[in-house]
Amino acid sequence: MITINAQKTEIKYLSGTDASCSLKWDFFCTDGRNSGQWTKIDVPSNWELEGFGTYNYGHDWRNEEIELGKEHGLYRYEFDVPGEWKAKTINIVFDGSMTDTEVKINGKPAGEIHQGAFYRFKYDISKLLKYDTANLLEVDVAKHSSNESVNKAEREADFWIFGGIFRPVFLEVLPQIHINRAAINAKADGSFNILVEVNNSKSDYTIFVDLFELKGNKIGETVFAKIEKDVSSKMISGKFDRVKSWNPEWPNLYNMKITLKKGNETLHQLTERIGFRTVELREHDGFYINGEKVVFKGVNRHSFWPETGRALSEANHLQDIRLMKEMNMNAVRCSHYVPDKRFLELCDSLGLFVLDEITGWQDGYDTIVGPKLIKETVLRDENHPSVVIWDHGNEGGWDFANEKWLSFWDIQDRPVLCPWLLHNGVDTHHYPEFDYSIGRFVFGNDPFMPTEFLHGLYDGGHGAGLEELWRSYQSSPLLAGAFLWAFADEAVLRKDKPGTVFDADGNHAPDGILGPHREKEGSFYTVKEIWSPIQVQPVTINRKWSRKLFLRNEFIYTNLKDCAFSWKALKTEIGHPVQIVNGFGSVTSPEAFPGETAMILINCEEALKTADIFQFTALDPHGNELYTWSWPVVQPEDLADEFLRRIEPVNSEILILESRDEVVATAAGVEISFSKKDGRLISVKNHKGNVSFSGGPVSVGLQSEPIETAWKKDEAGNFMFKIASKGYPEKVIWKLLRNGLLYLEASPLRRGNELNFVGLTFNYPEENCKAVKWMGRGPYRVWKNRMKGSNIGVWEKEYNNTITGESFNKLIYPEFKGYHGNLFWAILETTESDFTVISETPNLYFRLFTPGKPQYVAGGTYPPFPNGDISFLYEIPGIGTKFKIEDQLGYKSQKGTFSSHSGDDLYPIKLWFDFREYNKNMK
């Protein structure tokens, strides 16, 4: 609440303003760690994170072997009240306390015990205070409630259960006669209704309403209305012309000043920051906001930080909202409780639709507590333009008898959802599989919007399967949106364990697109690309490209002419991480309304003639990157040919030595030992010593049995080793050139069914790896059903052993190990001798080792990997989610099937290996 007049609402904080600016209170914990003695604690905070009590996850009540902490926290704090406040109304306000909270002022109860952990509650303590002297505040907070429905809704849930005063506590000081409530319904056309309630109806009053831009300029004329004696509330209506409506793309806000007067005397004045917008749910159609049909692209967000639990800071809120906006999201579901007031204020100003949720994980509040908490929620959050939907609990977390109170208190009558249900005209079914369902979703009759979607345990979900599911949903006019589960891994710092331990309670809480400290997983960029409000239609870019791109406008409120576009053409060189800019430029923004597709012509013809990569960037009207797309301009064989042309000829002879089991060929300081039996590499040496690349090529995904080997020198003096096999590949040819380069060609795949992967694999000791540089998709690994968000470029990363969603003490992204897409070339930096691999085969996957298996694998979250360490593959598996194996997520998530006809010009695997110790100095 903003105040701008002498007769204003004054705020005096008794605690800190947030988790980054806390204040010490006296504290006594009744049980668990550091209990039984008076000490100090930060307020706001969760006491577990301050070293007190017992850590519990919400499922612990099911396990008799786990101690269920039911401690109380006793707080004491002294504060002064000036004498000039004697004639005022003074409320003590708690923004959040877990959970049953008894408040005393100077030894006397402030009111009834409050039950419910996530809600703002207040007491009028004017008559309990001592003025011009110290007052004693005593608070008894019970971690668990005496009301069983509160425990079931909040304490026996799928999230961490904390205790404590975790949001600010402050005094709200009001004039003796004041406005109790100003509920504002500001419509997109500038019209508004305000329900004004006053605390004293003994006189006639006048309410004046003024509107200001945030810069202070007054809008339109003052609107006023009378409140007659003995009337405590009044609905005031009016309209301001030429206002700009609020939406996430253009979050226009205004200050509305509401003044209460008796005659010419100003009694109370307050200012509410508002946005003008209209929310509708149209039956059998969808959500309309400001008259435009909306598709929510959102995520479920817990209020959480590893070191402070649910006590958050301004920086935490800003970071989360900015990351959502960076992923091109326009909405957030506040799971599974109302968020901090400050979070909603920032959603208003930065632009996000909000689903504001009454707690109730899979059980709801009873009809005693529920109506009170619903009232507290609505009265606190009613004026936020970002709040467009109320969620009444989650997955059974409701009592339908309580639902009416949302509409009763909300003068905007926002839509009410019961997430998980087809209810109130919206189908919110959770975790649908791709072909769901008969008579629902794309086959249904009601707008659909899964409020939990693609469970992101470990590296699964989120991006994997999103493209195909989303495109399928977009085929239906009933698509209303989807909310990914969840925003960040909820791994808490355990101060009750030695060392630094971050605990996500097995596989219950590592569900994020981001790590607990907001480290970006690969799916972050997948979501960013798929949900970009500008989509580039599929195109092949090469040196004969027409230079035309077709852009589809998937904004709701923005014309493409208000966006900005630029391009770059890049030249690469095998072995060098630097990409040279061949050319760059901006593009005139086309006129295209939401839903339209526009063509742009890019003046890049000269730059493309020698480029290898083309990039295209779209910026929103506020200068934020929506996405940068990239395409290879050349084929892998083009870069390989360019590399070979730079190699100086070597005229030395190749030395061949044979023993009983192996053939050893030496050229230009490179010594290769082949198995006579099957043609596999036994060893590789160069001037520096051993290069431990060996053991291949071994066929993976299909059976192969060598039946014949032969070797010789060809007419040019190069060493040739041929392997014929039964199965895949039918033929393999090794060629060691006189210049020391080693070439491999394996005959193409002809057919195969139900393939997780197929190709060739080799061995290399993981412990020898230091880093990798490569050209292809990156910098994150890919899965078959998560190719979006990985761009063609030249990348490098150091070795790490990250297990996604588990390695919280050393969470390094991008992960080093896994499948990488569209290999052009790669350099493995090792403790022995770096070596280079160059592909001539398009769309080849490059597998680097096998990621560690998470401890608590569920569903489809740990796909298979081939034997060996380094592989070159035509096919890789998709990844699933906690609740779905990969083939339930769409066609691109299925196992591979391949067939061919005699005469097909297929693509053999063609690889060059450069083991020369001096290869970095090649011309």
Side-chain angles (χ1 to χ4, degrees):
M1 186 177 291
I2 303 167
T3 58
I4 58 173
N5 187 281
Q7 295 297 323
K8 63 183 181 180
T9 303
E10 297 180 63
I11 300 296
K12 179 181 178 179
Y13 281 92
L14 302 182
S15 71
T17 54
D18 65 20
S20 69
C21 185
S22 57
L23 195 64
K24 296 287 187 183
W25 287 15
D26 294 329
F27 183 70
F28 184 99
C29 187
T30 62
D31 197 13
R33 291 172 300 140
N34 296 313
S35 60
Q37 58 184 342
W38 281 99
T39 180
K40 298 287 186 181
I41 195 171
D42 285 319
V43 180
S45 71
N46 288 126
W47 63 57
E48 295 84 354
L49 280 301
E50 299 298 311
F52 300 96
T54 304
Y55 284 90
N56 280 121
Y57 197 80
H59 293 323
D60 287 356
W61 67 276
R62 299 173 177 173
N63 189 338
E64 294 180 355
E65 297 180 1
I66 297 177
E67 177 189 2
L68 197 62
K70 293 189 176 181
E71 65 271 12
H72 286 230
L74 310 181
Y75 295 81
R76 292 191 309 211
Y77 183 72
E78 288 191 346
F79 62 96
D80 294 328
V81 176
E84 57 264 31
W85 284 4
K86 279 186 177 180
K88 294 180 180 288
T89 298
I90 302 174
N91 295 321
I92 188 168
V93 182
F94 288 75
D95 257 350
S97 180
M98 295 176 169
T99 178
D100 285 8
T101 304
E102 181 182 13
V103 180
K104 292 182 179 180
I105 302 293
N106 298 320
K108 295 181 180 180
E112 67 177 8
I113 293 173
H114 183 270
Q115 296 177 311
F118 302 96
Y119 306 90
R120 172 179 284 184
F121 59 96
K122 64 178 69 174
Y123 304 102
D124 182 349
I125 59 172
S126 309
K127 296 179 180 179
L128 301 178
L129 291 171
K130 301 173 184 178
Y131 294 89
D132 287 327
T133 188
N135 291 270
L136 177 63
L137 167 64
E138 296 173 283
V139 187
D140 182 341
V141 180
K143 185 172 179 177
H144 285 255
S145 178
S146 62
N147 181 300
E148 194 56 31
S149 78
V150 173
N151 290 328
K152 288 188 174 297
E154 301 178 357
R155 311 278 91 185
E156 298 175 3
D158 190 7
F159 45 80
W160 285 102
I161 304 305
F162 298 121
I165 302 170
F166 71 106
R167 289 176 182 161
V169 181
F170 57 90
L171 298 180
E172 179 185 52
V173 186
L174 299 158
Q176 189 175 45
I177 300 174
H178 58 265
I179 299 170
N180 267 337
R181 181 187 181 197
I184 303 168
N185 183 12
K187 298 285 191 177
D189 64 357
S191 65
F192 65 89
N193 296 313
I194 307 176
L195 177 63
V196 176
E197 296 180 356
V198 294
N199 73 316
N200 182 311
S201 61
K202 295 179 180 179
S203 300
D204 293 333
Y205 304 110
T206 306
I207 296 291
F208 294 85
V209 180
D210 294 287
L211 190 69
F212 297 87
E213 294 177 342
L214 299 190
K215 293 180 179 179
N217 300 321
K218 191 171 185 293
I219 304 293
E221 300 297 323
T222 301
V223 176
F224 63 92
K226 299 287 186 180
I227 300 183
E228 294 77 13
K229 183 180 178 181
D230 298 326
V231 175
S232 61
S233 65
K234 178 83 171 187
M235 186 71 77
I236 300 168
S237 300
K239 185 175 183 180
F240 292 104
D241 295 326
R242 297 185 300 278
V243 299
K244 296 178 180 177
S245 62
W246 182 95
N247 64 70
E249 296 165 21
W250 302 93
N252 300 301
L253 294 174
Y254 296 88
N255 287 328
M256 181 173 277
K257 184 173 72 174
I258 304 168
T259 304
L260 174 67
K261 286 188 175 184
K262 179 181 178 182
N264 292 324
E265 180 188 2
T266 297
L267 302 176
H268 189 202
Q269 191 174 77
L270 59 86
T271 299
E272 289 284 335
R273 185 155 292 181
I274 65 164
F276 288 83
R277 56 104 183 95
T278 304
V279 181
E280 301 173 80
L281 172 55
R282 299 181 185 175
E283 190 176 16
H284 308 303
D285 186 355
F287 292 95
Y288 284 77
I289 297 178
N290 306 340
E292 300 293 340
K293 192 168 187 176
V294 167
V295 174
F296 296 102
K297 301 173 182 176
V299 69
N300 288 268
R301 180 220 187 215
H302 272 296
S303 299
F304 181 83
W305 191 254
E307 285 78 15
T308 60
R310 309 218 185 281
L312 301 182
S313 69
E314 174 96 354
N316 296 147
H317 299 314
L318 275 170
Q319 182 181 30
D320 286 1
I321 294 169
R322 285 170 174 161
L323 286 166
M324 292 176 202
K325 299 282 285 186
E326 188 180 344
M327 281 187 280
N328 291 314
M329 294 174 174
N330 64 12
V332 57
R333 178 186 175 212
C334 298
S335 54
H336 293 293
Y337 35 80
V338 296
D340 294 67
K341 177 77 169 175
R342 185 58 181 154
F343 180 75
L344 295 180
E345 291 171 350
L346 292 168
C347 288
D348 293 341
S349 61
L350 298 176
L352 278 178
F353 293 126
V354 174
L355 277 60
D356 201 351
E357 185 154 307
I358 309 297
T359 309
W361 178 58
Q362 290 188 347
D363 287 282
Y365 297 119
D366 63 24
T367 55
I368 299 169
V369 172
K372 299 175 186 177
L373 300 180
I374 288 172
K375 178 182 178 181
E376 289 171 355
T377 299
V378 175
L379 266 58
R380 194 199 73 165
D381 297 344
E382 59 192 350
N383 291 338
H384 290 285
S386 58
V387 176
V388 294
I389 291 172
W390 304 113
D391 284 351
H392 185 201
N394 166 74
E395 295 185 354
W398 46 74
D399 185 324
F400 287 122
N402 290 333
E403 186 175 311
K404 62 187 177 186
W405 296 110
L406 284 160
S407 296
F408 177 85
W409 290 110
D410 182 20
I411 72 164
Q412 295 185 28
D413 198 22
R414 278 165 273 221
V416 176
L417 303 182
C418 289
W420 203 29
L421 289 187
L422 170 50
H423 182 66
N424 290 338
V426 184
D427 195 344
T428 62
H429 178 75
H430 287 181
Y431 305 112
E433 52 195 71
F434 181 78
D435 55 3
Y436 178 86
S437 155
I438 298 171
R440 298 181 75 172
F441 277 39
V442 295
F443 304 104
N445 191 43
D446 301 284
F448 64 90
M449 181 178 71
T451 38
E452 291 181 24
F453 181 59
L454 284 173
H455 194 289
L457 177 63
Y458 303 134
D459 200 25
H462 292 144
L466 176 61
E467 179 187 16
E468 211 164 1
L469 280 158
W470 194 249
R471 302 305 175 220
S472 171
Y473 291 170
Q474 285 181 313
S475 69
S476 169
L478 294 172
L479 172 63
F483 289 80
L484 297 165
W485 184 271
F487 178 67
D489 295 332
E490 201 176 350
V492 67
L493 177 62
R494 294 294 297 261
K495 292 188 176 179
D496 59 338
K497 296 185 177 183
T500 302
V501 178
F502 292 98
D503 182 5
D505 198 56
N507 65 18
H508 289 138
D511 305 329
I513 309 173
L514 299 143
H517 293 101
R518 295 356 183 215
E519 303 91 339
K520 295 177 181 177
E521 296 180 7
S523 284
F524 181 96
Y525 297 97
T526 309
V527 174
K528 181 179 176 70
E529 180 175 1
I530 294 169
W531 277 356
S532 169
I534 295 176
Q535 290 290 313
V536 178
Q537 302 287 53
V539 62
T540 296
I541 294 181
N542 53 38
R543 288 172 180 166
K544 294 183 179 180
W545 174 47
S546 67
R547 300 177 290 120
K548 295 177 182 178
L549 286 180
F550 293 87
L551 310 180
R552 177 170 172 79
N553 183 354
E554 293 188 0
F555 280 106
I556 303 170
Y557 305 97
T558 300
N559 194 310
L560 292 192
K561 68 180 178 60
D562 296 317
C563 300
F565 304 94
S566 62
W567 63 273
K568 284 182 183 178
L570 304 174
K571 179 63 183 170
T572 68
E573 184 176 334
I574 290 176
H576 294 271
V578 177
Q579 301 171 111
I580 300 167
V581 178
N582 251 24
F584 63 93
S586 58
V587 183
T588 301
S589 301
E591 176 94 21
F593 291 97
E596 294 182 344
T597 297
M599 186 270 285
I600 59 173
L601 186 65
I602 300 176
N603 185 22
C604 61
E605 190 170 11
E606 284 301 313
L608 276 183
K609 289 180 180 178
T610 54
D612 298 330
I613 297 172
F614 182 79
Q615 291 181 345
F616 179 73
T617 299
L619 304 179
D620 74 7
H622 313 291
N624 304 306
E625 183 202 65
L626 297 172
Y627 199 71
T628 294
W629 295 264
S630 67
W631 296 265
V633 178
V634 294
Q635 293 284 311
E637 63 182 358
D638 298 325
L639 290 188
D641 183 62
E642 188 177 296
F643 168 80
L644 293 171
R645 289 199 307 269
R646 294 201 311 272
I647 302 295
E648 293 184 351
V650 176
N651 296 319
S652 61
E653 292 293 319
I654 294 180
L655 178 64
I656 301 174
L657 296 175
E658 293 189 37
S659 65
R660 187 183 68 178
D661 298 321
E662 59 187 286
V663 179
V664 180
T666 305
V670 175
E671 178 186 294
I672 311 291
S673 175
F674 300 93
S675 164
K676 284 184 174 181
K677 177 182 178 182
D678 53 26
R680 296 176 187 174
L681 293 183
I682 295 174
S683 66
V684 176
K685 297 179 182 178
N686 61 20
H687 290 299
K688 202 171 181 179
N690 287 324
V691 182
S692 303
F693 187 77
S694 65
V698 172
S699 173
V700 290
L702 290 170
Q703 295 295 318
S704 179
E705 180 184 347
I707 55 177
E708 185 180 1
T709 60
W711 54 92
K712 66 175 183 177
K713 285 187 180 181
D714 65 12
E715 294 179 355
N718 302 311
F719 175 76
M720 305 279 290
F721 196 116
K722 297 181 180 180
I723 308 108
S725 298
K726 180 181 179 181
Y728 168 78
E730 296 174 356
K731 295 180 181 179
V732 173
I733 297 175
W734 284 110
K735 182 189 290 188
L736 179 64
L737 276 62
R738 293 164 64 185
N739 59 19
L741 293 179
L742 180 64
Y743 173 73
L744 171 70
E745 181 174 332
S747 56
L749 177 66
R750 292 291 175 184
R751 63 184 63 254
N753 294 303
E754 294 292 300
L755 301 171
N756 280 311
F757 41 73
V758 64
L760 305 175
T761 195
F762 295 83
N763 298 327
Y764 190 81
E766 188 176 319
E767 60 271 18
N768 291 356
C769 269
K770 297 194 306 183
V772 64
K773 297 187 183 83
W774 82 104
M775 179 175 169
R777 290 194 176 274
Y780 286 80
R781 66 191 184 196
V782 300
W783 304 100
K784 182 182 179 181
N785 55 359
R786 197 187 72 187
M787 299 296 288
K788 292 285 187 181
S790 59
N791 281 348
I792 298 292
V794 177
W795 313 99
E796 56 183 318
K797 55 185 174 182
E798 295 183 355
Y799 176 85
N800 64 70
N801 198 27
T802 294
I803 298 176
T804 313
E806 185 172 285
S807 302
F808 296 125
N809 281 29
K810 195 174 183 181
L811 201 57
I812 301 172
Y813 293 130
E815 305 94 334
F816 186 82
K817 298 189 281 188
Y819 298 110
H820 299 75
N822 295 80
L823 176 68
F824 282 74
W825 55 265
I827 296 177
L828 208 62
E829 297 182 17
T830 77
T831 57
E832 301 173 323
S833 179
D834 300 351
F835 62 92
T836 302
V837 184
I838 301 163
S839 171
E840 291 191 32
T841 306
N843 305 321
L844 197 64
Y845 296 99
F846 175 47
R847 173 274 191 113
L848 267 177
F849 306 109
T850 301
K853 187 175 182 178
Q855 295 182 66
Y856 306 101
V857 168
T861 56
Y862 191 68
F865 280 80
N867 293 331
D869 304 301
I870 296 176
S871 308
F872 306 93
L873 305 166
Y874 290 111
E875 176 81 356
I876 61 171
I879 189 169
T881 72
K882 184 175 184 177
F883 302 126
K884 299 287 186 291
I885 58 175
E886 60 274 13
D887 64 6
Q888 294 174 299
L889 301 181
Y891 298 113
K892 289 185 179 179
S893 302
Q894 309 296 312
K895 294 179 180 178
T897 297
F898 188 83
S899 64
S900 66
H901 290 285
S902 177
D904 277 343
D905 292 327
L906 303 175
Y907 291 95
I909 292 179
K910 296 181 178 181
L911 302 170
W912 291 92
F913 297 89
D914 188 357
F915 296 110
R916 298 173 303 158
E917 185 266 331
Y918 51 86
N919 65 356
K920 292 182 180 178
N921 299 319
M922 62 189 176
K923 294 184 179 179

